[in-house]
Amino acid sequence: TRLDFDRAHQDLENQPGQPGVRDRLTGSHLLEYPAIADLYSHPRIMDIVCEMLTDSIPWVWQIITNRYSPEHPGVGKHSDGFKGELSSPFSRQSMAVFLDDIDEESGSLTYVPGSHLRHFISRDDPERQAPTQTDIEKGEYITTKLKAGDVVFRVPEVWHAVRPIHHLRRYVTASYVARERLSAVMTERLGRELKTRLAIPLDQVPERLQPYWVW
């Protein structure tokens, strides 16, 4: 996977690997690299994604690779929830396969346990408002330690950040959506993505990924 990852970034980026820069690739061109494409529908990964979303065939919304080259300042505290919007509980799920070791000294993913619940619609709290950036900044973050090959499953709404990066930090990631529980923002983004995918012949998509790729 590392070989395909590095080849993709060499092929598709003008100047990959500049210190302090995140190189991010996304879109169907990543399917041309078999070791990367294989991860987006790996059976063990999909078993967990389907369980989290209670959807037997979730839609893969985004396929991405990320490469952070040292020295990099890290990533500030944030949520991938849609700003100002509450969502249906567990309607999105992400996974990330890390290709390098990360720990407290370099690139640790930090997060606030349970913070995603504050972004969900609740019958018990009909007046709930989406958290603000001030709320996110005040969270009590804990660190993670990961080995190359580890997979992280993350509810996108969870508050998270990345500590300063002193060693190469690469990972393959994807975001999945429960088809029956789309928010207003997600519905709009779905429409844009589907227009792009209509231009891609289905035979260019790995067979195992196809059920998750089409709508």
Side-chain angles (χ1 to χ4, degrees):
T1 303
R2 285 173 171 171
L3 290 176
D4 265 9
F5 185 103
D6 291 342
R7 186 162 61 93
H9 279 259
Q10 188 64 46
D11 293 346
L12 302 172
E13 288 282 348
N14 292 326
Q15 292 181 306
Q18 296 184 73
V21 173
R22 179 189 74 164
D23 299 315
R24 182 179 189 268
L25 302 176
T26 185
S28 61
H29 43 266
L30 290 173
L31 302 179
E32 299 173 14
Y33 301 87
I36 294 174
D38 183 62
L39 296 176
Y40 297 127
S41 59
H42 190 286
R44 292 174 66 188
I45 289 174
M46 294 312 303
D47 281 349
I48 294 173
V49 170
C50 291
E51 183 71 19
M52 290 296 296
L53 295 178
T54 60
D55 189 328
S56 61
I57 311 178
W59 187 62
V60 57
W61 170 35
Q62 294 175 313
I63 57 174
I64 300 169
T65 64
N66 277 315
R67 170 182 173 140
Y68 291 82
S69 296
E71 298 288 323
H72 190 285
V75 180
K77 298 172 181 177
H78 68 287
S79 165
D80 293 338
F82 300 132
K83 187 176 181 180
E85 180 184 78
L86 296 175
S87 60
S88 296
F90 301 102
S91 57
R92 292 193 292 147
Q93 179 68 35
S94 70
M95 73 84 183
V97 181
F98 282 82
L99 306 185
D100 302 285
D101 296 349
I102 64 171
D103 56 28
E104 298 90 339
E105 302 302 320
S106 177
S108 177
L109 176 68
T110 68
Y111 71 101
V112 180
S115 53
H116 56 290
L117 299 174
R118 296 185 57 182
H119 292 261
F120 292 163
I121 296 168
S122 171
R123 293 179 180 176
D124 296 330
D125 184 10
E127 301 302 319
R128 176 177 293 176
Q129 299 294 312
T132 65
Q133 184 60 34
T134 299
D135 295 327
I136 294 170
E137 293 285 345
K138 292 180 178 179
E140 296 184 9
Y141 288 74
I142 64 173
T143 61
T144 61
K145 183 176 182 179
L146 301 168
K147 292 291 187 180
D150 285 349
V151 185
V152 171
F153 294 91
R154 180 175 57 80
V155 179
E157 290 89 351
V158 75
W159 305 350
H160 59 286
V162 176
R163 286 192 168 181
I165 298 164
H166 308 300
H167 307 289
L168 190 61
R169 188 181 195 269
R170 297 167 294 179
Y171 61 98
V172 177
T173 184
S175 179
Y176 305 86
V177 179
R179 295 174 187 261
E180 300 299 325
R181 301 194 301 279
L182 299 181
S183 70
V185 173
M186 192 67 243
T187 299
E188 189 271 332
R189 296 189 181 190
L190 165 70
R192 294 205 306 260
E193 179 62 22
L194 289 180
K195 288 180 181 178
T196 300
R197 293 193 188 182
L198 286 173
I200 304 166
L202 194 57
D203 61 9
Q204 293 182 13
V205 179
E207 184 176 0
R208 193 175 69 197
L209 181 61
Q210 289 178 12
Y212 310 108
W213 184 261
V214 299
W215 190 267

